[in-house]
Amino acid sequence: MGLTHVFGGRSKAPELEPIGVIDIGSNSVRLVVYDGAVRAATPIFNEKVLAGLGNSIATTRQLGAESVERALEALTRFRAVARVLKVKNLRVLATAAVRDAEDGSLFIREAERVAGVRVEVLSGETEAKLAAYGIRMGFMAPDGLAGDLGGGSLEVIDVARDQLKHADTLPLGGLRLIDETGDKIDRALPIVDEALARVSWLTAGRARPFYAVGGTWRALARLHMEQTGYPLRVMHGYAIPTREAIEFCQFVRRAKKVTSLLGIEAVPRARREMLPYGALVLERLLEAVAPSEIVFSVFGIREGLLFGLMTRHEQEKDPLLTYCAELARLRSRSLAHAYELCTWTDALFTGEGPKETEDERRLRHAACLISDIGWRAHPDYRGVHSLDVIAHAGFAGIDHPGRIFLALSVYHRHSGSDDGRPDALSNRLRLVVSKRTQKRAKLIGAAVRTAHMLSIGMAGIIDETRLVYEGSKLVMILPKAHAGLNGERLRRRFQILAELVSREGEIRVAE
């Protein structure tokens, strides 16, 4: 696959038109405004109001006057926000609470008047489809089961790369279970088991990843991070082995008081009440499915709607490389130079050089693209600054080890072989990735560090040089036109690079 395809071309950035999505859920009403319907979409506004429309649906079948008032007030503000941001395409979605309430149609009429646009009440099937699209938006070629747990319902979907094989909607949302059981979690256990037993195809997820969507499950992941001391506090792509996840869910739902759990301060107060119920649903679901692991996603139905609005060409772009190219365009000295680095470093992994997998090649290209985003920082802090930005960036299509590899690669691009202070984030991140990943990060960092010393970050230099293996040597061949760029610091950096591939370095001017 060529670079132009996976990066989505090298033309200038398209003119984007903001798209707003209002999600009227069972627990919250949220507005997210994206910069456009593109693969590397960026949220430019994100706000939610906890209206609690689904608080009493199970027992009263009504939305409740106070909840409706809060929701309509939120819609009034969100309409004004959309006007300020010049959002011409504003979509409003309503899910389980409005769908199931007897007074749902009355609320919809009032909501449409306040919001000024039509409200789309999603069927369970459509909600599941959008959740699956959200998984496709957030992951590279996902292949597993996905579950989207809201306040009113649980959508379970079989996502096999670009196919949606099965989908079911179950009345297992946290608010619904609290209402239906009178907040007695022991009463919820048979309800959950009975509902899951009706889904005959859950075993299709055996030994495949399970993608977890929804605020309650993300809160559970955050609590797990706190209790295990995990160093990277990024929800998207956070993964837990299945058996460990089941045992943790059991621990949470059996706790006498959720507020007594270690690290509970990291969980928003509004989520704490539903945490044991979310843990129960996840525990029983994982027991039924037996996936290879659970992977948490911050991409859900809102991102799924955005994905559905894209062209097929846009959907097929690599989400990680597209994002990195856009980041390079915005923050690097030269996007063209970033592309040149991808090709220039290819030579290190050909012939007698070290081997890499297709995914490692993809991550190397991503590291090259974003290698110069910290150039405006003070020279003494470029490494640490870049590490922090990249480790916590809004990437899609990457797992946590890959994210850490990118951060460490660019850290070494600026800091060389210096491992930083003992309390540096770089040292904590190393603890959760393999020695191979650490070594590759140093190698890519050294290669980019060498290239920047030669090219000064400008395009048109390194693409005229060549890297070749000659027996025990790694040779960089310079054209005569660039011979003057050879110097002591370049030779020193190139020697470090050569040593990382077990060679002696030589810089040679072409005849």
Side-chain angles (χ1 to χ4, degrees), residues 422-442:
D423 62 339
L425 176 60
S426 62
N427 288 342
R428 300 202 305 275
L429 293 180
R430 287 186 182 91
L431 298 176
V432 294
V433 293
S434 67
K435 293 293 185 183
R436 176 182 172 85
T437 296
Q438 295 178 43
K439 183 177 180 180
R440 276 181 54 80
K442 284 190 175 184

Side-chain angles (χ1 to χ4, degrees), residues 128 131-132 135 144-150 153-159 168 201 209-214 217 281-282 285 294-297 299-300:
I135 295 299
L145 262 58
D148 186 352
L149 182 70
S153 65
L154 165 69
E155 280 67 49
V156 189
I157 318 100
D158 188 331
V159 185
D168 266 295
W201 52 266
F210 178 81
Y211 302 96
V213 183
W217 281 347
V281 174
L282 185 58
L285 189 55
I294 176 172
V295 184
F296 294 89
S297 173
F299 291 70

Side-chain angles (χ1 to χ4, degrees), residues 16 41 44 71 73 121 148-149 151 173 180 210 220 238 370 396 430:
L16 300 181
I44 58 178
E73 183 181 5
V121 182
D148 186 352
L149 182 70
E180 189 172 351
F210 178 81
L220 197 65
Y238 182 59
I370 58 177
R430 287 186 182 91

Side-chain angles (χ1 to χ4, degrees), residues 16-21 30-38 41-46 85 87 137 298-306:
L16 300 181
E17 186 172 285
I19 296 174
V21 183
R30 183 190 292 268
L31 167 66
V32 182
V33 178
Y34 303 92
D35 58 357
V38 291
T42 300
I44 58 178
F45 183 85
N46 188 334
L85 294 177
V87 175
M137 182 79 163
V298 301
F299 291 70
I301 65 170
R302 293 178 297 273
E303 291 76 20
L305 174 67
L306 195 68

Side-chain angles (χ1 to χ4, degrees), residues 138-258:
F139 296 91
M140 184 70 176
D143 187 356
L145 262 58
D148 186 352
L149 182 70
S153 65
L154 165 69
E155 280 67 49
V156 189
I157 318 100
D158 188 331
V159 185
R161 296 184 179 269
D162 61 348
Q163 297 180 350
L164 310 181
K165 291 187 174 182
H166 305 284
D168 266 295
T169 297
L170 305 173
L172 298 180
L175 289 178
R176 180 184 286 272
L177 289 174
I178 291 172
D179 184 30
E180 189 172 351
T181 63
D183 200 10
K184 303 292 184 183
I185 195 164
D186 289 342
R187 297 178 184 174
L189 184 58
I191 296 173
V192 173
D193 284 345
E194 183 181 345
L196 292 176
R198 293 197 296 267
V199 185
S200 61
W201 52 266
L202 287 180
T203 53
R206 192 174 304 278
R208 298 162 66 198
F210 178 81
Y211 302 96
V213 183
T216 301
W217 281 347
R218 287 195 297 272
L220 197 65
R222 188 172 298 281
L223 186 62
H224 186 268
M225 287 179 172
E226 290 291 330
Q227 296 205 356
T228 59
Y230 188 72
L232 184 60
R233 302 305 168 90
V234 174
M235 284 297 107
H236 190 66
Y238 182 59
I240 308 176
T242 299
R243 180 44 52 186
E244 181 180 344
I246 290 172
E247 292 173 355
F248 183 70
C249 288
Q250 291 172 340
F251 169 73
V252 171
R253 65 126 167 143
R254 290 171 178 169
K256 291 184 177 180
K257 287 186 178 181
V258 175

